[in-house]
Amino acid sequence: MEPWAFLLALLLTAVVAGGIGAILGLGGGILLVPILTMFYGVSLRYAMGASIISVIATSSGAAAAYLRSGLTNIRIGLFLAMATVGGAILGAGLVGVVPERVLELILGLALAYSAIVTLRQLSLEIPENPPGDALAVRFELGGSYYDERLEREVTYRAVRVRRGFVAMFGAGLLSGLLGIGSGAFKVLAMDHFMRLPMKVSTATSNFMIGITAAASAAIYFRRGDIHPLIVTPVALGVIMGAYLGTRFMTRLRNTTLRKLFLPVVFYLAIAMVLRGLGIRWP
């Protein structure tokens, strides 16, 4: 492939990944790492470096749009960011110690768990709003937003905050280890453990992934994992895709978001587990 064609292909791929990432709260990184390695033959370390930078770009674009729409809950995002940043710093420091196949296997298994949990609540539109636990009440971890699709105001409050906090530490750890925004796991923690509406989970995830990624980006840069010729088209494409994705997401139902979320995660889970086991697929 000619160099210009390779760069153009990276740009277009990043647009799609950024759009999907912004809609589903994945940040695009969880898609870009396997796509760059499996389809473009990019070294995992460079794919992780490009992904971590693109995650920051996605967060900057998507989070701004979601803040205007009222979907992003900054209070919840900053509270949980304490866990994700700590995990990201620890994970980034362990990258040179853990073999690539182990990293791929960890990612695949974590994605498979995410998909199974999501499948169990596929038809849930708005979670029931039980009284929040003590931490949710103390830190006011709740809010409301106007749902354009349902045409009504939706009020919510977090529950099982401690479980969500622990899950977020694990999400940050995976972010640092694998060079992704770990948006899938952030969405899982907020949607499943803390019982937040799916739209709030994805929007708040987009806000958080940039914080988590920035915490470990300096380590990747110092190791030389940030390749300019790969990072530049990927970051530009992801920003464009994120802008388009945010405009589309607000018009979807929460159940539709889960249905879009599920096949992407299942596919990536299977692909990464097989690669971790040494099986080249697709």
Side-chain angles (χ1 to χ4, degrees):
M1 183 183 296
E2 294 292 330
W4 66 267
F6 176 75
L7 295 177
L8 180 60
L10 283 182
L11 177 68
L12 295 177
T13 300
V15 170
V16 175
I20 295 174
I23 292 171
L24 302 180
L26 304 178
I30 204 167
L31 301 174
L32 283 172
V33 171
I35 289 174
L36 290 176
T37 55
M38 289 190 291
F39 295 102
Y40 290 98
V42 175
S43 167
L44 181 60
R45 61 189 291 259
Y46 288 136
M48 291 164 63
S51 173
I52 210 77
I53 297 301
S54 70
V55 163
I56 298 172
T58 306
S59 178
S60 301
Y66 289 144
L67 277 171
R68 288 194 298 269
S69 66
L71 288 172
T72 299
N73 191 307
I74 298 179
R75 186 180 293 270
I76 291 177
L78 292 177
F79 176 80
L80 296 175
M82 293 187 292
T84 57
V85 169
I89 294 173
L90 176 61
L94 294 175
V95 169
V97 180
V98 185
E100 288 188 5
R101 282 190 179 179
V102 174
L103 294 179
E104 291 169 337
L105 189 59
I106 291 173
L107 175 59
L109 293 175
L111 285 173
Y113 175 75
S114 300
I116 292 171
V117 171
T118 302
L119 184 63
R120 292 164 56 186
Q121 55 187 46
L122 194 61
S123 60
L124 181 64
E125 178 63 35
I126 300 294
E128 295 181 4
N129 194 25
D133 62 20
L135 286 177
V137 173
R138 175 178 296 181
F139 294 108
E140 299 180 5
L141 302 180
S144 64
Y145 69 95
Y146 181 78
D147 194 303
E148 294 182 12
R149 181 68 177 180
L150 300 178
E151 298 182 343
R152 67 181 177 89
E153 193 78 11
V154 175
T155 302
Y156 60 90
R157 176 177 289 175
V159 299
R160 297 183 293 189
V161 175
R162 290 176 179 82
R163 293 187 188 181
F165 195 86
V166 172
M168 285 296 178
F169 181 84
L173 186 66
L174 286 172
S175 176
L177 275 171
L178 302 169
I180 60 176
S182 63
F185 311 107
K186 290 181 174 68
V187 172
L188 170 67
M190 288 183 279
D191 182 54
H192 177 66
F193 291 114
M194 301 176 70
R195 306 293 287 176
L196 301 178
M198 188 67 173
K199 287 185 178 180
V200 174
S201 299
T202 57
T204 304
S205 170
N206 270 297
F207 169 70
M208 294 177 62
I209 56 177
I211 301 174
T212 308
S216 52
I219 298 176
Y220 282 86
F221 184 80
R222 189 173 66 247
R223 278 203 301 258
D225 294 346
I226 309 296
H227 196 299
L229 291 179
I230 298 174
V231 167
T232 302
V234 166
L236 289 175
V238 164
I239 290 174
M240 291 187 286
Y243 173 77
L244 297 173
T246 54
R247 297 175 67 87
F248 182 66
M249 191 276 268
T250 56
R251 298 178 174 87
L252 298 177
R253 288 182 176 271
N254 288 291
T255 51
T256 304
L257 282 177
R258 287 196 188 88
K259 291 173 183 176
L260 293 172
F261 180 81
L262 196 60
V264 173
V265 175
F266 263 126
Y267 172 80
L268 292 175
I270 294 170
M272 296 307 286
V273 166
L274 291 178
R275 284 175 61 86
L277 295 174
I279 302 173
R280 306 298 297 183
W281 184 82

